[in-house]
């Protein structure tokens, strides 16, 4: 594994060490992100290859991303580098009986072109079936070696513990939305993971770009994922002014971009890894470089306080604004730059039901 001096790894005992910054690949082949054919066919591969070169090991995908496209693109991109990668995918737990779980794991492995899934995650808690239904299937997959570690996603702390009981061994990780725009896990999941030797995988750590500084009331991202993310409403951009100000200050003190400071905040706990998505190699490089930033206690606390003061308009109250914004938008993707080569500027999260 390349030692860049930048990438750091979690201290949990896994077959391949898990990098503190990984790569989320929902974007690969996804119509919702709208990055187009050149991204799906070339840029995504270049992003994965550069990530591997830099020592990134954790790559996250799911069977539903682009209906299998993400798994296929990622699988092709890691070919020849399988032993340098900690490969994580997810099952959407519809009718999660053991034969179904086994068939779906085989299908994911096939799309990825691998004989083993390092981490197989339950994408969402199924409200109808307790984890005693899905975990026997997961256990059998571990027994035959198709699955290394079992994980969950979008689980509460209680349900994570219940899942572990149902599996009968560790459920290594819980992948949850965690960022300065969704700081809830800092209060319960993260302390639990620290104390129990488990891992929180932070998804949407940049709140889908809201924390990047790239967007403001006049320059809003234009794709269907973010059209349905209430954070990008002008009213929420305004409400986040205080958070953005502190983020800019902390970033400047480290000669970093707001995106890098936002990632450094998320991964400060030894039990947390983040999986930002990237629309370019430059963003990937910038995100990886964020692992090198060590925030002081008072900086971390100032950011948490600012995050807690930010109250976004969400839920039903955000619907009229989203409808208005959808019909009166001014799309924009201002330019790239930054420490380690990412985007610059300053500029919180909504919900992505299918991600
Ligand atoms: N388990 C779940 O339910 C779930 C849910 C959501 C996501 N996920 C996983 O988590 C991953 C990441 O989450 P996400 O994609 O929702 O959100 P994210 O990582 O917070 O945001 C990714 C977006 O932010 C922008 N960005 C990335 N790096 C940047 C940089 N250095 N400077 C400026 N902008 C930057 C890019 O968009 P632009 O360049 O277009 O602005 C990029 O597509 C996904 O790929 C997926 O693997 C899981």
């Amino acid at each position: 594994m390349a030692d860049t001096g930048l990438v750091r790894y979690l201290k949990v005992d896994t077959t391949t060490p898990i990098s503190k910054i990984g790569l989320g690949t929902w974007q690969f082949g996804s119509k919702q992100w709208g990055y187009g054919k050149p991204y799906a066919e070339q840029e995504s591969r270049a992003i994965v290859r550069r990530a591997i070169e830099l020592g990134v090991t954790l790559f996250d995908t799911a069977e539903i991303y682009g209906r299998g496209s993400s798994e296929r693109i990622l699988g092709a991109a890691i070919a020849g580098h399988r032993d340098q990668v900690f490969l994580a995918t997810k099952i959407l737990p519809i009718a999660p009986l053991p034969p179904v779980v086994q068939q779906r794991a085989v299908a994911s492995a096939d799309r990825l072109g691998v004989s083993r899934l390092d981490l197989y995650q339950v994408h969402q808690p199924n409200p109808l079936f307790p984890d005693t239904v899905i975990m026997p299937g997961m256990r059998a997959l571990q027994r035959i070696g198709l699955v290394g570690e079992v994980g969950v996603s979008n689980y509460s702390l209680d349900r994570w513990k219940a899942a572990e009981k149902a599996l009968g061994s560790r459920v290594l990780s819980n992948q949850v939305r965690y960022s300065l725009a969704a700081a809830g896990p800092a209060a319960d999941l993260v302390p639990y993971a620290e104390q129990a030797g488990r891992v929180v995988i932070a998804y949407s750590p940049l709140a889908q770009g809201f924390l990047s500084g790239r967007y403001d009331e006049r320059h809003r991202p234009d794709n269907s994922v973010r059209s349905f993310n209430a954070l990008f409403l002008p009213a929420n951009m305004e409400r986040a002014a205080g958070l953005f100000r502190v983020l800019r200050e902390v970033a400047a003190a480290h000669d970093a971009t707001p995106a890098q400071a936002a990632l450094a905040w998320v991964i400060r706990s030894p039990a947390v890894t983040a999986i930002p998505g990237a629309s370019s190699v430059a963003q990937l490089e910038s995100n990886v470089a964020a692992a090198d930033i060590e925030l002081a206690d008072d900086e971390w606390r100032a950011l948490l306080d600012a995050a807690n003061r930010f109250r976004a308009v969400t839920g039903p109250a955000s619907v009229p604004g989203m409808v208005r914004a959808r019909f009166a938008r001014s799309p924009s993707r201002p330019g790239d730059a930054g420490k380690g080569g990412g985007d610059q500027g300053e500029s919180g999260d909504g919900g992505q039901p299918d991600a």
Side-chain angles (χ1 to χ4, degrees), residues 23-27 33 35 60-61 65 90 123-124 153-154 175-177 202-210 212 214-215 221 223 225-226 257 259-260 263 275-279 282-284 286-287 333 336 342-344 352-355:
L23 178 70
T25 67
W26 176 19
Q27 284 76 357
W33 279 91
Y35 290 155
D60 177 74
T61 182
Y65 294 168
K90 313 185 201 78
H123 206 142
Q124 305 273 353
S153 176
N154 297 301
Q175 182 178 136
V176 291
R177 181 181 299 133
Y203 77 70
S204 304
L206 297 170
Q208 300 189 334
F210 179 74
S212 71
R214 203 173 182 191
Y215 302 109
N223 64 28
V225 168
R226 293 181 285 199
T257 66
Q260 290 176 316
L263 290 175
I275 48 166
S279 63
Q283 285 187 349
L284 174 271
S286 170
N287 296 343
R333 287 170 54 92
D336 292 357
D343 293 346
Q344 212 144 33
Q352 294 310 325
D354 72 333

Side-chain angles (χ1 to χ4, degrees), residues 32-48:
Q32 296 156 298
W33 279 91
Y35 290 155
K37 227 173 153 187
Y39 178 84
E41 292 178 357
Q42 287 129 35
E43 190 74 7
S44 51
R45 183 174 190 276
I47 290 170
V48 171

